[in-house]
Amino acid sequence: MTDAAALPGQPRGAVVSGPATARTVNVLAPNPSAMTLDGTNTWIVAEPDSGLAVVIDPGPLDDVHLRAVIDAVERSGRRVGLTLLTHGHPDHAEGAGRFAELTGTKVRALDAALRLGDEGLGAGDVITTGGLELRVVPTPGHTADSLSFHLPADRAVLTGDTILGRGTTVVAHPDGRLGDYLDTLRRLRSLTVDDGVHTVLPGHGPVLEDAQGAVEFYLAHRAHRLAQVETAVEAGNRTPSDVVAAVYADVDRSLWPAAELSVRAQLEYLTEHGLIQG
């Protein structure tokens, strides 16, 4: 059995509902799959002495899960004051409208189509609900609308699908762009170096105790994959599906459609930078 401390990012262990840091609690959604890992992590964030909580990514449209999130908030003696979205994929956002209806809260997101209320989210915004300091960090790449949330008091960052607790994320071409994603990873690395972030609270998978190690692993993985894709193209593999077959031969075939999205993003990146012919 592999020691978790030896794995990228030092994953904490099994994914469970419950407290993760002094200000965060996870409620795991019942939607496990190859793409969602153990399920979607719905995060409840609150100051210890506050009567208000912020909920990040209510998850799928599943009333049992949504009510479980509300129950967890109420058991802590709080009520939901605000709902936030890291991005618009259904496993994170589909239940947001129903959750807002159940809690009477607004939904804030980067994408205006996902909002309920007038306020969006953008670079430099700070969420202060219930005395929190939750800083909005634009992290495009997985999708164009991806955001992360920096929680300085816990030296943590909530990353949605930008960094996962296990494995690596898909750059979902054409909405996601690899150049943006690489810039995002460097931005997150600066949070670990300059702002002391050491914990990753991901949208899927276990909590990571070594944020800098996780980011460095992701950057190295992307560089390695780009080199593999470039080599595959030079060997005559021209279509995205051919490149997937060459580069991802050791990956479960059920994941090849998702891998093709990333390959398309990689081919676009390599072409834009003159490393292969379009």
Side-chain angles (χ1 to χ4, degrees), residues 63-77:
D63 254 38
V64 173
H65 172 64
L66 300 179
R67 292 182 187 278
V69 175
I70 296 168
D71 288 347
V73 172
E74 292 179 346
R75 282 198 304 272
S76 71

Side-chain angles (χ1 to χ4, degrees), residues 132-153:
L132 275 174
E133 181 185 356
L134 195 60
R135 302 175 185 173
V136 178
V137 183
T139 48
H142 170 65
T143 61
D145 70 328
S146 287
L147 298 171
S148 294
F149 298 98
H150 176 201
L151 183 59

